Amino acid sequence: MKKIQLEILGLSSSQSQSGSFALILGEKTGNRRLPIIIGMFEAQSIAIQIEKINPNRPLTHDLFKSFAEHVHVAVLEVLISDLKEGVFYSKIVCTDGATTFELDARPSDAIAIGLRFGVPIFTVESVLSEAGIILSDLDENADDDADEDDEDEDDDSAGTPKPEPTPRDPSGQVSLDELTKMLAQALEKEDYEKAAKIRDELNKRNG
């Protein structure tokens, strides 16, 4: 089974499923894209890891990493292994130093955990052939509805999202001290999307 390495290209609100997000993965050495509809919690967990934001309290995926490290288990890779009836399936490949084993997981959970361990994300040709779209086709298929899983609405599903409008930066009129306070308040409230915007504004000014 030939594995194809993927990279995260974007994360945006899903226009086809309210309250969900679209995670866009792309071939590292090709032009196919793999959109996956994921839940709000998993999207937040992936986003704060991408943005390198440290939450005041560990999220579930942070807890998994801490537990794995304490029992001397390392994650080697994430594999999006199958697509059945519009629902993606994946595996987290782990090792305890002596044996290698796989854990079944939703792709959103697997990727959130994989990001924390800094491991590569893979899929297989059958998944990309069925659900992948070529870059030039993204705009043409932007209005397509995402497939849904009737048994569990939280399961990761295939879909072609519309791009989300670029968020506006915090006002440039706010002082650096005030922005720092706002950042602390956003982190305290666990509003990581707002925290990321404020952090970017601080970095832009300090840079």
Side-chain angles (χ1 to χ4, degrees):
M1 178 179 62
K2 182 182 177 182
K3 294 184 294 187
I4 301 167
Q5 188 167 358
L6 302 172
E7 58 185 342
I8 296 175
L9 300 180
L11 183 64
S12 63
S13 296
S14 170
Q15 302 299 314
S16 59
Q17 294 187 28
S18 177
S20 297
F21 288 77
L23 176 65
I24 308 298
L25 303 171
E27 269 185 299
K28 202 150 191 179
T29 57
N31 63 346
R32 287 179 292 181
R33 303 294 183 259
L34 188 65
I36 301 177
I37 303 302
I38 65 176
M40 183 181 299
F41 171 78
E42 293 80 13
Q44 182 187 65
S45 184
I46 290 170
I48 67 170
Q49 188 64 28
I50 291 173
E51 297 289 348
K52 305 300 182 186
I53 294 175
N54 294 319
N56 290 337
R57 297 180 298 169
L59 301 180
T60 303
H61 302 111
D62 299 314
L63 180 61
F64 179 97
K65 182 174 186 287
S66 296
F67 178 79
E69 289 175 339
H70 274 80
V71 297
H72 307 293
V73 170
V75 172
L76 300 177
E77 65 182 49
V78 168
L79 175 65
I80 301 173
S81 56
D82 207 351
L83 176 63
K84 298 177 181 177
E85 298 180 357
V87 178
F88 290 99
Y89 294 83
S90 68
K91 299 178 184 298
I92 303 172
V93 183
C94 307
T95 181
D96 60 4
T99 60
T100 299
F101 56 94
E102 299 176 344
L103 302 175
D104 291 329
R106 295 181 302 175
S108 53
D109 289 323
I111 290 169
I113 290 169
L115 283 172
R116 284 159 171 77
F117 281 89
V119 300
I121 304 166
F122 294 98
T123 190
V124 293
E125 180 59 38
S126 59
V127 172
L128 264 182
S129 296
E130 185 173 349
I133 51 179
I134 299 174
L135 184 59
S136 60
D137 294 337
L138 282 173
D139 292 334
E140 297 175 12
N141 296 326
D143 294 329
D144 289 350
D145 291 334
D147 295 328
E148 297 180 5
D149 177 34
D150 294 334
E151 296 180 1
D152 184 356
E153 64 181 1
D154 290 330
D155 274 347
D156 299 357
S157 56
T160 304
K162 293 181 181 178
E164 184 184 38
T166 303
R168 297 170 58 187
D169 288 330
S171 172
Q173 303 303 314
V174 180
S175 68
L176 287 175
D177 287 343
E178 192 63 30
L179 280 175
T180 303
K181 290 178 183 177
M182 290 168 61
L183 177 59
Q185 291 171 354
L187 288 173
E188 185 176 351
K189 295 178 181 178
E190 301 184 4
D191 186 348
Y192 301 117
E193 182 179 357
K194 182 177 180 181
K197 294 177 185 177
I198 297 171
R199 186 214 53 200
D200 290 344
E201 178 67 16
L202 282 169
N203 289 340
K204 185 166 65 175
R205 295 198 197 181
N206 291 332

